[in-house]
Amino acid sequence: MVKNRKIVSLLQEYLSIFPAVGLLGPRQVGKTTLVKPLDFEKESLYLDLEKASDRAKLMDPELFLKTHAEKTVILDEIQLMPELFSELRSLIDERRVPGRYIILGSASPDLIRKSADSLAGRIGYLELTPFFLDEVEQDEDEKLWIRGGFPLSFLAKSERESQLWRQNFIKTYLERDLAQIGLSTDPRLVERFWRMLAHAQGGIWNGESFARALGVTRPTVNRYLEYLEGSFMIRVLRPFHQNIKKRLVKSPKVYIRDTGLLHSLIGIDSMVQLQNRIEIGSSWEGFVIEQIIASKGEEYGYFFYRTHQGAECDLLLVKNGEVQRAIEIKNTLSPKLTKGLRISMEDTGAREGFVICRIEGQFPISENVLAIGLKEFLSE
């Protein structure tokens, strides 16, 4: 079972403020399912820009949209008709009232740039993530970890059905979706790249190594990375280096955002298999990071910390330039304070330290450092 999506109240607030609201997220994450049943203050009109019949209605977008000026118009898969942004800008400027347009998009690296140029000051953006822990039942955290949070994977009737959905999602994304968002290249190369990223989950990005392994140039693999990040498939976690005098690692770390897709990409079908694979630690690390970011949202900036001397912290939560929390993530039931976390806290001036591990509850392991379960951290 799944509880109500946490983003609904924020979406309704945005609709009461902005003339246009952009709800972005990966394919099949549930954007349309979330928006269509909402109770709007006025009548709504839904257009799916993947359908030729709906695109035909917008051959003269100004005329069509003015005809429906009193409605909330929902434009789904907006990246297929980015030229609409300039029309929306003109219509909003003529009649600036909140909740006129809802833009749904699977995003591309230039989607935000195009819309930001056209609708700056007129649109508020929200990201719809796959399900996260606050949105599922209390006994389903392990299921969420192994299957991931895409609705049709998480809610599948069996593990086999979930596996098949994820395998077909990966195939469709590579063969169709990437081209639709602007990356025209050999899908087999991108698949190899994606699987390599999965096997290197949480590793420091080295574009030169990936380029050599794939037999392509470094700008090419950087472009692949950009498109995978822009379509919400991967998380590029930046290093923290503000006011630090030590020699630091300055390349980002890369994670497959959804652990269900991660497990399919590296050939893991069940929790039993995951428990016998060396990748379990990096899988848990990526899962925890995504749960924290999905839950805390824009409250913090998110970084990692690593020095060339070996001090490392998996996640820093930063607000107003100050490190509020330093987090180490361990797949263990017996957490300990590591030297790396202690040094990282001293270097960054972190106010609190946490070791998030596979326990329930919390207990202190040092001054200002708690060992804590993921659920407790999210609700704390």
Side-chain angles (χ1 to χ4, degrees):
M1 294 293 293
V2 177
K3 306 172 186 176
N4 292 330
R5 300 304 308 263
K6 299 290 186 180
I7 201 173
V8 170
S9 60
L10 188 57
L11 174 60
Q12 291 172 329
E13 181 184 8
Y14 270 46
L15 287 169
S16 70
I17 298 171
F18 296 99
V21 175
L23 184 63
L24 305 178
R27 289 273 195 170
Q28 300 293 316
V29 79
K31 298 184 293 292
T32 307
T33 303
L34 178 76
V35 168
K36 289 181 75 173
L38 289 179
D39 292 326
F40 299 103
E41 293 184 1
K42 47 194 174 184
E43 186 181 350
S44 63
L45 172 67
Y46 173 80
L47 296 173
D48 182 355
L49 301 184
E50 284 196 312
K51 292 174 61 176
S53 57
D54 281 355
R55 291 198 303 272
K57 295 174 184 177
L58 293 165
M59 290 295 288
D60 186 340
E62 182 180 7
L63 177 62
F64 181 85
L65 293 172
K66 279 187 173 180
T67 303
H68 299 280
E70 299 303 320
K71 300 175 182 177
T72 294
V73 179
I74 303 167
L75 298 167
D76 202 349
E77 300 299 349
I78 189 66
Q79 70 275 1
L80 300 179
M81 293 185 70
E83 65 273 16
L84 288 176
F85 286 120
S86 59
E87 296 290 346
L88 295 177
R89 178 186 60 190
S90 299
L91 292 170
I92 289 171
D93 287 347
E94 288 177 8
R95 182 170 171 270
R96 194 182 183 95
V97 295
R100 288 190 67 184
Y101 303 105
I102 299 177
I103 294 170
L104 308 181
S106 301
S108 65
D110 65 344
L111 175 62
I112 301 298
R113 289 197 293 271
K114 286 181 178 178
S115 58
D117 291 343
S118 298
L119 296 178
R122 304 167 182 88
I123 189 168
Y125 281 109
L126 294 170
E127 180 188 336
L128 182 63
T129 68
F131 296 145
F132 59 98
L133 275 175
D134 288 348
E135 297 177 329
V136 303
E137 297 299 331
Q138 289 192 353
D139 60 346
E140 293 186 313
D141 50 340
E142 193 171 278
K143 176 181 170 183
L144 183 67
W145 181 14
I146 193 67
R147 292 188 178 188
F150 280 89
L152 292 177
S153 176
F154 179 78
L155 298 172
K157 296 176 183 177
S158 66
E159 291 297 334
R160 175 64 176 165
E161 184 179 320
S162 176
Q163 293 163 22
L164 288 173
W165 183 89
R166 281 178 270 134
Q167 290 167 7
N168 280 276
F169 176 92
I170 291 168
K171 185 174 186 291
T172 302
Y173 175 83
L174 290 165
E175 295 179 356
R176 188 195 70 168
D177 294 349
L178 274 175
Q180 286 189 344
I181 63 174
L183 182 62
S184 298
T185 191
D186 184 350
R188 293 170 296 180
L189 265 180
V190 183
E191 180 179 8
R192 285 178 59 198
F193 176 69
W194 202 4
R195 293 187 187 279
M196 287 168 62
L197 285 177
H199 283 284
Q201 173 83 337
I204 299 294
W205 169 246
N206 185 330
E208 195 65 44
S209 296
F210 278 89
R212 282 198 303 269
L214 291 170
V216 299
T217 64
R218 183 164 182 171
T220 297
V221 295
N222 286 340
R223 189 159 56 97
Y224 293 170
L225 191 76
E226 181 186 13
Y227 273 82
L228 287 170
E229 182 184 20
S231 54
F232 306 100
M233 293 296 105
I234 64 171
R235 168 82 58 192
V236 177
L237 192 65
R238 312 291 173 183
F240 182 83
H241 51 79
Q242 182 176 330
N243 298 324
I244 305 294
K245 296 180 180 179
K246 292 185 176 181
R247 292 183 63 241
L248 304 177
V249 171
K250 294 188 178 180
S251 296
K253 293 170 71 172
V254 180
Y255 297 86
I256 307 298
R257 290 183 59 167
D258 182 78
T259 47
L261 295 182
L262 169 71
H263 297 149
S264 291
L265 288 165
I266 61 178
I268 291 174
D269 296 331
S270 67
M271 183 56 72
V272 173
Q273 284 189 2
L274 180 61
Q275 288 171 339
N276 292 308
R277 292 280 293 267
I278 194 171
E279 294 95 339
I280 188 170
S282 58
S283 171
W284 170 247
E285 182 179 322
F287 179 72
V288 170
I289 288 172
E290 283 305 306
Q291 297 306 309
I292 291 173
I293 296 176
S295 177
K296 305 298 183 184
E298 295 183 359
E299 182 179 354
Y300 297 101
Y302 303 95
F303 304 88
F304 77 95
Y305 180 79
R306 181 183 291 183
T307 70
H308 284 286
Q309 292 73 35
E312 181 177 5
C313 182
D314 296 320
L315 187 65
L316 298 178
L317 274 55
V318 180
K319 182 183 289 187
N320 299 324
E322 294 186 359
V323 177
Q324 304 291 319
R325 296 172 176 184
I327 298 169
E328 189 164 26
I329 301 165
K330 294 294 183 185
N331 177 46
T332 182
L333 296 172
S334 306
K336 299 176 182 177
L337 176 64
T338 64
K339 181 179 179 181
L341 177 59
R342 179 177 56 78
I343 294 174
S344 297
M345 291 181 65
E346 292 172 356
D347 291 349
T348 63
R351 295 186 177 183
E352 297 176 287
F354 296 88
V355 179
I356 297 180
C357 50
R358 302 283 302 283
I359 64 171
E360 294 184 3
Q362 62 185 49
F363 58 87
I365 54 176
S366 178
E367 185 179 359
N368 294 333
V369 180
L370 284 178
I372 191 169
L374 177 56
K375 286 182 179 178
E376 288 76 16
F377 181 84
L378 296 179
S379 61
E380 170 267 337

